[in-house]
């Protein structure tokens, strides 16, 4: 009886029903792990999605560019149910517009993929706005560079590193009208996230590359600057500063 009264007074009566016990860490305890920062989370998420789509690699050195998969991999395609669910998630993170076009096609989702990476990693709307058009966030970064997490550079003036984004105009007529960084304007673009860097080469991952999330190897010059190609006439690098 006495023991029951002691327990009631010292323990059971202190914690209310349904209330979680308070857990605190002593001031002298050092965490045994590091919490990844935004850049690291974007890199992890990009590689995660690439793995889910079967680790496809796109080769821009052949005409037309083609995607190859490891022999044992399931080939991910945007219209197959397991993969369309991912595309659906990217899209509706970025917009409320319908993902299916007027002719029943899946609308281009590479911009939504970049936005999903950023938003899922913790990038605020003020640094990279939600949109399915690459130009919208490119224009935002150019306009807000002084206070933004991201800052834009002409592709021939900056050596990208993992966590940065590189962009190229798309469509033959539009490409012909964009001769350099100063010509950038509203139009069709493709952007990829840089996920690895080696001497002479970057690895980049992007969405909606031949209907999947693909990795590409991008050649660099001796100073680490991206070399544009016919298939990807890179014009812009978006540096992630933090």
């Amino acid at each position: 009886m006495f023991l029951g009264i002691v327990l009631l007074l010292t323990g059971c009566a202190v914690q209310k029903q349904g209330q979680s016990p308070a857990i605190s860490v002593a001031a002298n305890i050092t965490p045994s792990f590091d919490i990844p920062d935004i850049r690291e989370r974007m890199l992890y998420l990009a590689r995660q999605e690439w793995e889910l789509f079967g680790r496809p690699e796109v080769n821009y050195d052949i005409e037309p560019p083609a995607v190859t998969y490891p022999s044992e991999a399931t080939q991910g395609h945007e219209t197959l149910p397991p993969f369309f669910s991912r595309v659906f998630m990217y899209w509706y993170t970025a917009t409320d517009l319908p993902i299916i076009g007027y002719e029943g096609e899946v609308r281009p989702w590479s911009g939504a993929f970049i936005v999903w990476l950023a938003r899922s990693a913790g990038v605020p709307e003020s640094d990279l706005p939600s949109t399915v058009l690459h130009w919208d966030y490119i224009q935002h970064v150019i306009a807000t560079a002084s206070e933004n997490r991201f800052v834009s550079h002409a592709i021939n003036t900056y050596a990208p590193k993992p966590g940065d984004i590189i962009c190229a105009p798309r469509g033959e007529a539009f490409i012909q009208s964009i001769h350099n960084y100063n010509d950038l304007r509203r139009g069709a673009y493709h952007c990829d996230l840089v996920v690895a860097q080696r001497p002479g080469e970057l690895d980049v991952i992007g969405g909606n590359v031949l209907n999947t999330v693909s990795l590409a190897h991008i050649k660099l010059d001796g100073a680490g600057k991206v070399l544009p190609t016919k298939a990807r006439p890179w014009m812009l690098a978006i540096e992630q500063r933090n």
Side-chain angles (χ1 to χ4, degrees), residues 24-31:
S24 59
V25 179
N28 62 342
I29 298 296
T30 302

Side-chain angles (χ1 to χ4, degrees), residues 10-33:
T10 60
C12 299
V14 174
Q15 185 177 317
K16 296 180 180 179
Q17 185 176 4
Q19 185 180 50
S20 300
I23 300 175
S24 59
V25 179
N28 62 342
I29 298 296
T30 302
S32 59
F33 60 90

Side-chain angles (χ1 to χ4, degrees), residues 57-68 210 215-217 219 231:
E57 294 191 12
V58 60
N59 184 352
Y60 289 125
D61 293 332
I62 61 175
E63 186 64 39
V67 164
T68 58
L210 299 179
L215 181 144
H217 305 293
K219 290 183 173 59

Side-chain angles (χ1 to χ4, degrees), residues 169-179 183-189:
R170 287 192 302 110
E172 186 173 350
F174 187 57
I175 289 172
Q176 294 301 320
S177 71
I178 305 293
H179 301 102
D183 289 338
L184 295 177
R185 63 182 185 278
R186 177 169 291 277
Y189 292 84

Side-chain angles (χ1 to χ4, degrees), residues 39 144-151 164 239-242:
R39 178 192 301 274
T144 62
S146 60
E147 64 271 6
N148 201 319
R149 176 184 189 86
F150 299 97
V151 60
D164 294 342
E239 176 189 2
Q240 187 168 180
R241 292 191 284 195
N242 297 329

Side-chain angles (χ1 to χ4, degrees), residues 28 39 44-45 81 85 104-105 112 124 127 137 141 147 154 165 172 178 193 202 221 224 226 238 240:
N28 62 342
R39 178 192 301 274
Y44 174 83
L45 288 165
S85 66
E105 77 283 6
D127 282 346
Y137 68 74
V141 167
E147 64 271 6
I165 298 167
E172 186 173 350
I178 305 293
L193 181 74
L202 296 176
D221 66 15
V226 172
I238 298 177
Q240 187 168 180

Side-chain angles (χ1 to χ4, degrees), residues 86-100 106-110 112-113 116 131-132:
R86 308 302 294 179
V87 176
F88 189 91
M89 178 180 65
Y90 311 147
W91 184 269
Y92 286 108
T93 296
T95 185
D96 292 328
L97 295 171
I99 191 173
I100 303 300
V106 178
R107 285 178 163 154
W109 48 273
S110 60
F113 180 72
W116 178 82
T131 177
V132 295

Side-chain angles (χ1 to χ4, degrees), residues 182-200:
N182 294 325
D183 289 338
L184 295 177
R185 63 182 185 278
R186 177 169 291 277
Y189 292 84
H190 177 81
C191 299
D192 288 332
L193 181 74
V194 179
V195 297
Q197 181 183 37
R198 293 178 296 280

